[in-house]
Amino acid sequence: MQSKFILPAAVLMLSLYACTKQQDDSKKVIDYATYGYVSTWKEIESRTGTTNWVEISNGSTFSIFSNSIDLAAHPIRGEYRYIGVNPGISIDSAGFIQQTNDSLYFVARGRTDTTILQYKNYGDSVLVINDQIKYRKVR
C-alpha cells in the first residue's frame, strides 16, 4: 500500500527540484548545423589606455559560432561563448553576436541588453577588441 504513494511522491519531488535549478548558459548546446562555422580566439595580450601591450598567460577563450569564419570578408551573425572574465570584455558567458564594419554586438541570452564593442582584425588570425585586448585565432 505504501509503494503506491512513494513513486508519485518521488516523481513530484524530482519535478519540484528541477524547477528550482538555475540555467547555466555556458553549457548550452549550440547547433553547429545552423551556423556552419566555429572560430575560437584566445586572449594573448592586454593593455590599459596607451600603455604597451602586456602578455596574458593562460588567457580566456572566446568562441564564435556563425555563418562565416572570416571576420574580414563576411559579416558574422551567430552565437558566442566567452569562457573567462576580463575587465575589458564585460559580456555574459553566452549569447548572440552580430558584426558590423567596426563593431561587435553581443546580446545576452534571455535579456534585451546589448553590449557593443569596437574591434579591429589583422589578417584572419589577430583580433583586437576595444584597443585593450588582443586575441589570436586558435581554430
Side-chain angles (χ1 to χ4, degrees), residues 12-134:
L12 177 63
M13 287 176 41
L14 284 173
S15 299
L16 291 173
Y17 174 73
C19 292
T20 62
K21 298 263 313 162
Q22 296 292 326
Q23 182 176 348
D24 183 1
D25 285 337
S26 67
K27 294 181 179 164
K28 193 157 193 103
V29 176
I30 296 176
D31 182 14
Y32 288 91
T34 299
Y35 298 108
Y37 299 99
V38 61
S39 55
T40 303
W41 303 82
K42 186 165 183 77
E43 294 173 344
I44 57 170
E45 294 179 301
S46 69
R47 70 177 179 181
T48 306
T50 58
T51 62
N52 290 332
W53 289 100
V54 177
E55 186 175 328
I56 297 174
S57 61
N58 199 20
S60 298
T61 302
F62 175 59
S63 296
I64 301 173
F65 303 84
S66 68
N67 58 341
S68 173
I69 201 162
D70 186 354
L71 283 170
H74 306 288
I76 60 167
R77 287 185 181 165
E79 297 187 46
Y80 71 89
R81 181 169 291 148
Y82 181 65
I83 309 300
V85 176
N86 191 307
I89 303 291
S90 57
I91 59 174
D92 281 356
S93 60
F96 301 96
I97 185 171
Q98 183 170 351
Q99 173 194 2
T100 64
N101 289 340
D102 62 352
S103 300
L104 294 172
Y105 292 76
F106 296 89
V107 181
R109 289 188 189 280
R111 297 190 192 158
T112 57
D113 58 324
T114 301
T115 302
I116 304 168
L117 301 174
Q118 303 298 309
Y119 80 93
K120 292 179 185 173
N121 60 320
Y122 299 92
D124 63 350
S125 63
V126 175
L127 173 68
V128 177
I129 294 183
N130 278 0
D131 206 28
Q132 296 178 339
I133 301 170
K134 192 180 288 186

